[in-house]
PDB file of all heavy atoms in Angstrom:
ATOM      1  N   TRP J  71      -3.361  -1.632  11.583  1.00 97.00           N
ATOM      2  CA  TRP J  71      -3.753  -2.482  10.463  1.00 97.00           C
ATOM      3  C   TRP J  71      -2.767  -2.314   9.320  1.00 97.00           C
ATOM      4  O   TRP J  71      -2.337  -1.213   9.007  1.00 97.00           O
ATOM      5  CB  TRP J  71      -5.163  -2.093  10.028  1.00 97.00           C
ATOM      6  CG  TRP J  71      -6.184  -2.347  11.094  1.00 97.00           C
ATOM      7  CD1 TRP J  71      -6.762  -1.425  11.916  1.00 97.00           C
ATOM      8  CD2 TRP J  71      -6.723  -3.604  11.498  1.00 97.00           C
ATOM      9  NE1 TRP J  71      -7.619  -2.029  12.807  1.00 97.00           N
ATOM     10  CE2 TRP J  71      -7.610  -3.373  12.556  1.00 97.00           C
ATOM     11  CE3 TRP J  71      -6.512  -4.943  11.043  1.00 97.00           C
ATOM     12  CZ2 TRP J  71      -8.302  -4.420  13.178  1.00 97.00           C
ATOM     13  CZ3 TRP J  71      -7.212  -5.940  11.657  1.00 97.00           C
ATOM     14  CH2 TRP J  71      -8.088  -5.696  12.722  1.00 97.00           C
ATOM     15  N   THR J  72      -2.413  -3.429   8.701  1.00 97.00           N
ATOM     16  CA  THR J  72      -1.348  -3.391   7.668  1.00 97.00           C
ATOM     17  C   THR J  72      -1.807  -3.931   6.303  1.00 97.00           C
ATOM     18  O   THR J  72      -1.063  -3.792   5.331  1.00 97.00           O
ATOM     19  CB  THR J  72      -0.133  -4.197   8.117  1.00 97.00           C
ATOM     20  OG1 THR J  72      -0.504  -5.548   8.389  1.00 97.00           O
ATOM     21  CG2 THR J  72       0.517  -3.575   9.373  1.00 97.00           C
ATOM     22  N   GLY J  73      -2.999  -4.508   6.199  1.00 97.00           N
ATOM     23  CA  GLY J  73      -3.443  -4.966   4.897  1.00 97.00           C
ATOM     24  C   GLY J  73      -4.698  -5.804   4.936  1.00 97.00           C
ATOM     25  O   GLY J  73      -5.028  -6.401   5.981  1.00 97.00           O
ATOM     26  N   LEU J  74      -5.392  -5.846   3.827  1.00 98.00           N
ATOM     27  CA  LEU J  74      -6.621  -6.600   3.689  1.00 98.00           C
ATOM     28  C   LEU J  74      -6.515  -7.521   2.486  1.00 98.00           C
ATOM     29  O   LEU J  74      -6.118  -7.075   1.398  1.00 98.00           O
ATOM     30  CB  LEU J  74      -7.828  -5.668   3.493  1.00 98.00           C
ATOM     31  CG  LEU J  74      -9.180  -6.325   3.227  1.00 98.00           C
ATOM     32  CD1 LEU J  74      -9.640  -7.090   4.467  1.00 98.00           C
ATOM     33  CD2 LEU J  74     -10.215  -5.282   2.835  1.00 98.00           C
ATOM     34  N   GLU J  75      -6.880  -8.770   2.659  1.00 98.00           N
ATOM     35  CA  GLU J  75      -6.922  -9.741   1.592  1.00 98.00           C
ATOM     36  C   GLU J  75      -8.308 -10.375   1.545  1.00 98.00           C
ATOM     37  O   GLU J  75      -8.779 -10.949   2.503  1.00 98.00           O
ATOM     38  CB  GLU J  75      -5.862 -10.816   1.864  1.00 98.00           C
ATOM     39  CG  GLU J  75      -5.784 -11.886   0.806  1.00 98.00           C
ATOM     40  CD  GLU J  75      -4.761 -12.981   1.181  1.00 98.00           C
ATOM     41  OE1 GLU J  75      -4.257 -12.989   2.306  1.00 98.00           O
ATOM     42  OE2 GLU J  75      -4.551 -13.853   0.339  1.00 98.00           O
ATOM     43  N   ILE J  76      -9.006 -10.185   0.405  1.00 98.00           N
ATOM     44  CA  ILE J  76     -10.291 -10.818   0.189  1.00 98.00           C
ATOM     45  C   ILE J  76     -10.044 -12.232  -0.299  1.00 98.00           C
ATOM     46  O   ILE J  76      -9.397 -12.416  -1.339  1.00 98.00           O
ATOM     47  CB  ILE J  76     -11.155 -10.022  -0.803  1.00 98.00           C
ATOM     48  CG1 ILE J  76     -11.350  -8.574  -0.347  1.00 98.00           C
ATOM     49  CG2 ILE J  76     -12.500 -10.726  -1.038  1.00 98.00           C
ATOM     50  CD1 ILE J  76     -12.103  -8.407   0.955  1.00 98.00           C
ATOM     51  N   LEU J  77     -10.533 -13.229   0.408  1.00 98.00           N
ATOM     52  CA  LEU J  77     -10.279 -14.611   0.076  1.00 98.00           C
ATOM     53  C   LEU J  77     -11.413 -15.255  -0.708  1.00 98.00           C
ATOM     54  O   LEU J  77     -11.176 -16.163  -1.529  1.00 98.00           O
ATOM     55  CB  LEU J  77     -10.007 -15.427   1.348  1.00 98.00           C
ATOM     56  CG  LEU J  77      -8.874 -14.907   2.217  1.00 98.00           C
ATOM     57  CD1 LEU J  77      -8.824 -15.634   3.550  1.00 98.00           C
ATOM     58  CD2 LEU J  77      -7.550 -15.018   1.469  1.00 98.00           C
ATOM     59  N   ASP J  78     -12.658 -14.826  -0.456  1.00 98.00           N
ATOM     60  CA  ASP J  78     -13.813 -15.436  -1.133  1.00 98.00           C
ATOM     61  C   ASP J  78     -15.027 -14.517  -0.953  1.00 98.00           C
ATOM     62  O   ASP J  78     -15.110 -13.789   0.068  1.00 98.00           O
ATOM     63  CB  ASP J  78     -14.117 -16.806  -0.545  1.00 98.00           C
ATOM     64  CG  ASP J  78     -15.140 -17.589  -1.339  1.00 98.00           C
ATOM     65  OD1 ASP J  78     -15.126 -17.495  -2.595  1.00 98.00           O
ATOM     66  OD2 ASP J  78     -15.960 -18.293  -0.732  1.00 98.00           O
ATOM     67  N   THR J  79     -15.924 -14.568  -1.906  1.00 98.00           N
ATOM     68  CA  THR J  79     -17.206 -13.850  -1.776  1.00 98.00           C
ATOM     69  C   THR J  79     -18.324 -14.787  -2.247  1.00 98.00           C
ATOM     70  O   THR J  79     -18.097 -15.688  -3.052  1.00 98.00           O
ATOM     71  CB  THR J  79     -17.256 -12.573  -2.645  1.00 98.00           C
ATOM     72  OG1 THR J  79     -17.099 -12.925  -4.018  1.00 98.00           O
ATOM     73  CG2 THR J  79     -16.164 -11.579  -2.253  1.00 98.00           C
ATOM     74  N   GLY J  80     -19.498 -14.575  -1.679  1.00 98.00           N
ATOM     75  CA  GLY J  80     -20.667 -15.329  -2.081  1.00 98.00           C
ATOM     76  C   GLY J  80     -21.855 -14.380  -2.102  1.00 98.00           C
ATOM     77  O   GLY J  80     -22.117 -13.703  -1.098  1.00 98.00           O
ATOM     78  N   GLY J  81     -22.532 -14.301  -3.215  1.00 98.00           N
ATOM     79  CA  GLY J  81     -23.643 -13.346  -3.345  1.00 98.00           C
ATOM     80  C   GLY J  81     -23.093 -11.932  -3.205  1.00 98.00           C
ATOM     81  O   GLY J  81     -21.976 -11.642  -3.574  1.00 98.00           O
ATOM     82  N   GLY J  82     -23.929 -11.055  -2.661  1.00 98.00           N
ATOM     83  CA  GLY J  82     -23.481  -9.707  -2.367  1.00 98.00           C
ATOM     84  C   GLY J  82     -23.392  -8.738  -3.538  1.00 98.00           C
ATOM     85  O   GLY J  82     -22.851  -7.652  -3.369  1.00 98.00           O
ATOM     86  N   SER J  83     -23.969  -9.102  -4.694  1.00 97.00           N
ATOM     87  CA  SER J  83     -23.917  -8.203  -5.841  1.00 97.00           C
ATOM     88  C   SER J  83     -25.200  -7.356  -5.851  1.00 97.00           C
ATOM     89  O   SER J  83     -26.067  -7.449  -4.983  1.00 97.00           O
ATOM     90  CB  SER J  83     -23.818  -8.982  -7.154  1.00 97.00           C
ATOM     91  OG  SER J  83     -25.067  -9.549  -7.499  1.00 97.00           O
ATOM     92  N   ALA J  84     -25.339  -6.571  -6.879  1.00 90.00           N
ATOM     93  CA  ALA J  84     -26.569  -5.751  -7.061  1.00 90.00           C
ATOM     94  C   ALA J  84     -27.814  -6.606  -7.180  1.00 90.00           C
ATOM     95  O   ALA J  84     -28.904  -6.111  -6.973  1.00 90.00           O
ATOM     96  CB  ALA J  84     -26.403  -4.836  -8.265  1.00 90.00           C
ATOM     97  N   PHE J  85     -27.657  -7.874  -7.513  1.00 94.00           N
ATOM     98  CA  PHE J  85     -28.787  -8.743  -7.730  1.00 94.00           C
ATOM     99  C   PHE J  85     -29.134  -9.614  -6.530  1.00 94.00           C
ATOM    100  O   PHE J  85     -30.031 -10.436  -6.594  1.00 94.00           O
ATOM    101  CB  PHE J  85     -28.517  -9.672  -8.957  1.00 94.00           C
ATOM    102  CG  PHE J  85     -28.206  -8.900 -10.201  1.00 94.00           C
ATOM    103  CD1 PHE J  85     -26.904  -8.803 -10.652  1.00 94.00           C
ATOM    104  CD2 PHE J  85     -29.218  -8.220 -10.852  1.00 94.00           C
ATOM    105  CE1 PHE J  85     -26.605  -8.077 -11.774  1.00 94.00           C
ATOM    106  CE2 PHE J  85     -28.909  -7.477 -11.997  1.00 94.00           C
ATOM    107  CZ  PHE J  85     -27.645  -7.396 -12.467  1.00 94.00           C
TER     108      PHE J  85
END
Side-chain angles (χ1 to χ4, degrees):
W71 297 102
T72 58
L74 176 67
E75 180 183 8
I76 302 297
L77 303 172
D78 190 37
T79 61
S83 77
F85 303 105

